[in-house]
Amino acid sequence: MSITGIISAIGNNSSIYPLLVRDCGIEVPTKVYLTYKENENDKKIQKLATRERFIDEYIGSAIWLGGIPLVEYAANKFIKAKGFNPTINLKLLKEEEYQGLEYNIKKFEKLAPDAVEDLKKLTDSAAKTTYKTLLGARFLAATLIPIAVIGFILPKMIFASSAKKIAEMKKQKETEKKPVEIEKLVQGKKTKETTFTGNLMSTLANFSTKEKMEVIDGGYALGRIVTARKGPDGNRNEAKDIAFKMAGMMYLNYVAPQQIEKVLNFFCKKVFKLNTNLDPLMLEDKEFINQIKEGKLQLPKSDSAKDLLDFVDNNPKSLFVKYADKFEKIKLLKSGIRDPRAYVNIKKLAEFKKEIEEFSKNARLAKSAEKFAKRAKGVKTFNILANVGFSSFLLAYCLPKAQFAFRRLVTGSELEPGIVNANMEV
């Protein structure tokens, strides 16, 4: 992958790539180090707290990132064995004016017969119900299994491991005739079972991988709060500490980067008179720039569903369709035909068209379209790196520091409350 391709990937805040960079590349090692530093006043607690954070962060990240694709792969195999294609979007079951199950069957019957055969299997009401249930079950499996492992099973394992280490320290001190008072960890209460209605399953089944990761993080946060260790006096200091951390993490991972992106784009538009909404890959595409210069760039004539979809279907080789497919505004088959099993978000496709129109207009007004595009690409690249850097700094450094300050306010100590709640005398 080229450097521009990498920049493009980490700049897409609707995908998981920025999360990968922030989580694995920056956040996790920084948090482990800060935990080590924060507990340096007590070497025993420092060792245990750092060990817990290391195991928790790395194993948790592996499950968080790999759990969804692994479970969905197995679920898709099962759905196919039941005779359905798991790529059919459930939104097509509700007919719209220019797309829907029946509409797409009629329109694409000769253009994409294999895909249409998949759609025909859902024309029966019983088949629709079965398919909705299967996709709903897939969503539940892909989210609840990682939630259970990261939110409940993993912390219990870590706590048990720490208890064992504390017991070993106790035994060692007893041998040295330096008694240490240790009590068992207090376990958290079991969570209530969560139930979902069929309609909710139908809605959740269309969540993207990133959206499912958000759900996992929410459930994981709840699990960690529930399983947090209590102190001998019944205090819930670790639960409060975790709740503060998880609330900040959810905001900084999923909300802040998009807000930062909007601010940077707005700033560049006002100060530099540049539209930086387009991806760097488009801005370095010479064919794209030449078509703008020569007035040959083909775009839909309006933002209506009919005009947008007709343009996509009638101009499969146009740059608009090429990039709409690349950036997942639409989905094309290998033949170049729009996949009738995929739902098109008309609003997002129209916004994509408007961004191209605005950039094209400004590029034509510039003295040199090439220089204008190069400048826009440079500013966009800076925005992406600044966004990743700033959001990572907030997540990996500022949030732990804020958490430690919150901890001192609540507990009066800088030490890890979970380890302290294990009642190891220091």
Side-chain angles (χ1 to χ4, degrees), residues 210-365:
K210 180 174 176 284
E211 289 169 328
K212 289 170 186 169
M213 291 174 80
E214 292 178 34
V215 173
I216 289 174
D217 271 344
Y220 150 50
L222 177 63
R224 290 306 174 89
I225 292 169
V226 169
T227 57
R229 291 163 287 193
K230 293 180 182 178
D233 59 355
N235 77 72
R236 299 286 292 169
N237 289 338
E238 185 177 38
K240 296 172 185 176
D241 193 58
I242 291 172
F244 182 89
K245 178 186 76 171
M246 294 304 297
M249 187 205 72
M250 291 284 287
Y251 172 75
L252 293 176
N253 253 332
Y254 300 110
V255 180
Q258 295 183 14
Q259 293 177 335
I260 295 170
E261 180 182 24
K262 288 180 180 178
V263 170
L264 289 172
N265 287 343
F266 178 80
F267 177 80
C268 291
K269 190 172 182 179
K270 290 295 183 182
V271 176
F272 301 111
K273 307 299 180 184
L274 285 173
N275 176 353
T276 53
N277 291 326
L278 295 185
D279 191 273
L281 288 173
M282 294 183 70
L283 298 174
E284 77 166 9
D285 187 335
K286 293 181 180 178
E287 184 183 0
F288 176 61
I289 303 305
N290 286 333
Q291 286 190 12
I292 291 175
K293 280 175 56 181
E294 297 168 6
K296 294 180 179 180
L297 183 65
Q298 295 178 300
L299 294 173
K301 60 184 179 182
S302 81
D303 296 337
S304 71
K306 183 180 186 306
D307 287 339
L308 287 167
L309 294 177
D310 282 349
F311 182 89
V312 170
D313 296 337
N314 296 328
N315 301 275
K317 294 184 179 180
S318 68
L319 286 179
F320 175 79
V321 174
K322 170 188 172 182
Y323 282 113
D325 177 52
K326 181 171 184 58
F327 300 125
E328 299 180 351
K329 314 298 180 184
I330 60 172
K331 183 179 178 182
L332 299 180
L333 299 170
K334 290 182 180 180
S335 61
I337 303 296
R338 178 164 60 91
D339 190 341
R341 298 165 298 196
Y343 178 82
V344 179
N345 187 316
I346 299 299
K347 182 180 178 181
K348 289 185 178 180
L349 188 60
E351 288 174 353
F352 184 58
K353 168 187 166 286
K354 287 179 181 178
E355 289 168 358
I356 295 175
E357 282 179 332
E358 184 179 349
F359 178 83
S360 299
K361 179 181 177 181
N362 292 333
R364 286 196 299 270
L365 293 174

Side-chain angles (χ1 to χ4, degrees), residues 12-24 26-28 31 57 61 64-65 210 213-214 217 220 245-260 387-388 390-392 394-396 399:
N12 183 3
N13 283 312
S14 296
S15 73
I16 67 170
Y17 295 109
L19 296 175
L20 289 173
V21 173
R22 286 195 296 267
D23 185 79
C24 297
I26 301 172
E27 181 188 0
V28 170
K31 282 184 175 180
E57 294 292 344
S61 291
W64 181 60
L65 296 169
K210 180 174 176 284
M213 291 174 80
E214 292 178 34
D217 271 344
Y220 150 50
K245 178 186 76 171
M246 294 304 297
M249 187 205 72
M250 291 284 287
Y251 172 75
L252 293 176
N253 253 332
Y254 300 110
V255 180
Q258 295 183 14
Q259 293 177 335
I260 295 170
N387 193 341
V388 172
F390 184 56
S391 59
S392 297
L394 291 175
L395 192 64
L399 178 59

